[in-house]
């Protein structure tokens, strides 16, 4: 089983409407994965949508196909803000 779009230490984007994660994954060599936290739903294009994990963290969970289990740790759900600019940005956001 191979999972693309998920790794330990990542921040999963929250859905602004529901306040929980909404992350799309590709899972190869697995038809019916199960997840220890949240809900996996198969999309028509073959990807999987992981939802149901609330904003916050760090979370630990696993995805299993019945034979193999992959574990992920230090997963957060929220927003990532990147700022860039001149030295006059110092102090913004305090």
């Amino acid at each position: 089983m191979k999972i693309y779009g998920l790794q330990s230490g990542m921040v999963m984007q929250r859905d602004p409407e529901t306040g929980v994660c909404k992350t799309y994954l590709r899972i190869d060599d697995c038809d019916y994965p199960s997840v220890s936290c949240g809900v996996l739903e198969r999309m028509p294009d073959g990807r999987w949508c992981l939802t149901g994990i609330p904003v916050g963290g760090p979370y630990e969970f696993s995805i299993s196909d019945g034979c193999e289990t992959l574990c992920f740790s230090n997963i957060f759900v929220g927003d990532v803000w990147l700022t860039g600019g001149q030295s006059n940005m110092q102090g913004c956001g305090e």
Side-chain angles (χ1 to χ4, degrees):
M1 175 173 64
K2 292 189 179 208
I3 299 176
Y4 301 92
L6 183 63
Q7 65 183 21
S8 292
M10 75 179 285
V11 177
M12 293 191 294
Q13 182 65 43
R14 71 176 177 92
D15 180 4
E17 294 178 14
T18 62
V20 297
C21 80
K22 188 171 190 177
T23 301
Y24 294 94
L25 312 171
R26 194 175 97 215
I27 303 175
D28 290 347
D29 305 324
C30 181
D31 293 327
Y32 301 101
S34 61
V35 66
S36 64
C37 183
V39 176
L40 274 174
E41 177 185 354
R42 190 171 195 111
M43 301 284 95
D45 64 2
R47 294 180 302 161
W48 293 87
C49 182
L50 174 61
T51 61
I53 302 173
V55 170
Y59 295 108
E60 293 185 11
F61 61 89
S62 60
I63 297 178
S64 176
D65 66 358
C67 296
E68 182 180 7
T69 300
L70 299 175
C71 298
F72 302 91
S73 60
N74 291 321
I75 302 290
F76 294 86
V77 176
D79 296 319
V80 176
W81 292 81
L82 300 175
T83 60
Q86 305 294 326
S87 60
N88 61 0
M89 288 188 65
Q90 181 179 356
C92 292
E94 289 185 11

